[in-house]
Amino acid sequence: NTKIMPSFRTDFMGYSVKWSPYHENRIAVATAQHFGIIGNGRQFLLELTPQGIRPLATFLTQDGLYDCAFSEENENYLISASGDGSIKLWDINKPEQPPLAHFKEHGKEIYSVDWNVIKKDTFISGSWDGTIKWWNPRQPHSLMTFAEHQHNVYSAMWSPHQPSVFASVSGDRLLKIWDVNIPRSTITIPAHLNEILTCNWNKYRPNTIVTGSVDKAIKIWDIRKPDRELLMYSPHGYAVRRVVCSPHSEDIILSASYDMSVVVWHEKQGLIQRSQHHTEFALGIDFNMFVPGQVASCGWDCGVFVWNQGQPVVP
């Protein structure tokens, strides 16, 4: 009962994929040309149909795009994180039009953007300049800058439980927990032996967060017990590029790696599925919150794939 996996080819390399919080069949993909080193970027909005995946809108940018996020307050808005240190806000009903807004304060590439799912009028950005910035889309300047990391910030993610709390991870091997009401980080955890590229909060357990690193390890943390992880596993042969906790199960974690595989892992049962449909680095992954078990991925092979967790697939 193997199914053909719906797929789409982006002309540039895929860095990040996000399912829409409004439409169960819409996916945003941030892409960059020439391995993200030089060249343009393109933001895609794709639609999953019975006939396959088709583009609804695209936006071309001067520099590569490394992450994207849907607005939590307007179903037509989407933000992209750019290599020039700017965030672009798009209206998906106006394809190929200039951005509605352009937020430019970071001094280097932005690798992470995340919209707050509780306080829906704010988002954060994490940059290679070592800072995280907090934004309101209606204000041209950031609300606050958080500068403690001694290296690139690779990911900054809002807590899905507390509207003022977020986590960040960096090349300095630290996981930090912040509250926007406090200028300094509240918790600092030396979480890995090498650069930490990704973090994601458990959707069911407010104090649980997952990290993934160049050291190939994925670790699950209780931030109240920062001296040691709750669990560590290493399902990948190379650096872990992204981890995402399931919106439908407190035990399931999705991960993507430079080993080109995407892994579904269960905290108690271990490996559920290893998908090896990418032929280059797998960089973007996400769960569809409307369809339990449905997953999307993107990578340097320019492929965007959609499948159901546990279903045998062929690209």
Side-chain angles (χ1 to χ4, degrees):
N1 191 20
T2 301
K3 285 180 144 174
I4 298 294
M5 184 187 287
S7 66
F8 179 83
R9 301 282 300 171
T10 56
D11 43 356
F12 299 167
M13 290 154 161
Y15 272 80
S16 176
V17 60
K18 300 283 173 70
W19 287 97
S20 167
Y22 303 98
H23 301 276
E24 66 175 44
N25 59 346
R26 287 187 178 183
I27 314 165
V29 185
T31 71
Q33 212 173 5
H34 307 310
F35 306 99
I37 297 160
I38 189 167
N40 302 114
R42 186 170 277 129
Q43 178 65 54
F44 286 85
L45 178 69
L46 306 176
E47 184 177 49
L48 185 60
T49 74
Q51 289 74 44
I53 300 172
R54 66 182 190 98
L56 285 181
T58 61
F59 303 93
L60 186 68
T61 56
Q62 210 68 63
D63 285 81
L65 301 178
Y66 299 125
D67 199 11
C68 58
F70 282 94
S71 163
E72 292 286 341
E73 57 173 1
N74 186 323
E75 65 178 285
N76 297 312
Y77 290 178
L78 182 62
I79 52 174
S80 306
S82 172
D84 67 1
S86 74
I87 301 147
K88 321 265 189 231
L89 174 68
W90 311 102
D91 182 338
I92 60 180
N93 292 321
K94 297 177 178 166
E96 297 304 346
Q97 297 291 311
L100 288 178
H102 173 93
F103 308 94
K104 174 87 174 80
E105 286 183 18
H106 283 294
K108 289 185 180 172
E109 292 90 339
I110 301 176
Y111 240 55
S112 171
V113 282
D114 191 43
W115 209 289
N116 195 318
V117 297
I118 308 171
K119 193 171 166 16
K120 295 178 184 288
D121 61 349
T122 62
F123 62 88
I124 46 174
S125 55
S127 168
W128 283 12
D129 66 11
T131 70
I132 303 116
K133 288 179 182 280
W134 176 36
W135 306 86
N136 176 314
R138 283 174 283 285
Q139 296 185 25
H141 303 293
S142 61
L143 305 173
M144 200 180 289
T145 300
F146 304 88
E148 282 182 25
H149 283 294
Q150 301 299 308
H151 201 286
N152 301 355
V153 173
Y154 289 112
S155 180
M157 301 293 292
W158 289 109
S159 164
H161 308 279
Q162 296 170 283
S164 63
V165 172
F166 69 91
S168 63
V169 292
S170 164
D172 63 11
R173 309 193 288 259
L174 300 176
L175 161 66
K176 285 181 177 282
I177 310 297
W178 310 77
D179 187 310
V180 295
N181 302 307
I182 303 165
R184 306 286 298 172
S185 59
T186 56
I187 300 169
T188 297
I189 301 175
H192 286 266
L193 302 171
N194 212 318
E195 296 188 61
I196 310 173
L197 303 182
T198 178
C199 65
N200 204 256
W201 296 84
N202 188 293
K203 312 293 189 287
Y204 294 88
R205 301 197 292 260
N207 295 297
T208 302
I209 191 162
V210 181
T211 55
S213 166
V214 172
D215 66 13
K216 302 187 271 197
I218 296 171
K219 295 186 180 186
I220 302 168
W221 300 89
D222 181 331
I223 58 173
R224 296 165 301 184
K225 304 171 190 163
D227 52 325
R228 189 154 180 201
E229 72 271 11
L230 297 174
L231 182 70
M232 180 182 93
Y233 65 102
S234 300
H236 294 290
Y238 290 102
V240 179
R241 183 56 169 74
R242 208 177 289 266
V243 290
V244 181
C245 296
S246 168
H248 300 107
S249 162
E250 65 173 351
D251 294 315
I252 289 177
I253 301 164
L254 187 65
S255 57
S257 167
Y258 290 122
D259 71 3
M260 305 189 245
S261 74
V262 177
V263 162
V264 182
W265 189 272
H266 190 287
E267 275 187 43
K268 300 178 185 77
Q269 299 163 16
L271 181 72
I272 290 181
Q273 184 181 39
R274 181 186 305 275
S275 303
Q276 297 187 284
H277 47 273
H278 282 289
T279 55
E280 277 287 350
F281 296 162
L283 302 186
I285 42 171
D286 200 21
F287 280 107
N288 188 342
M289 61 184 272
F290 295 106
V291 183
Q294 191 171 53
V295 173
S297 70
C298 69
W300 269 15
D301 54 10
C302 304
V304 179
F305 299 94
V306 172
W307 73 100
N308 285 70
Q309 162 200 314
Q311 164 197 346
V313 282
V314 288

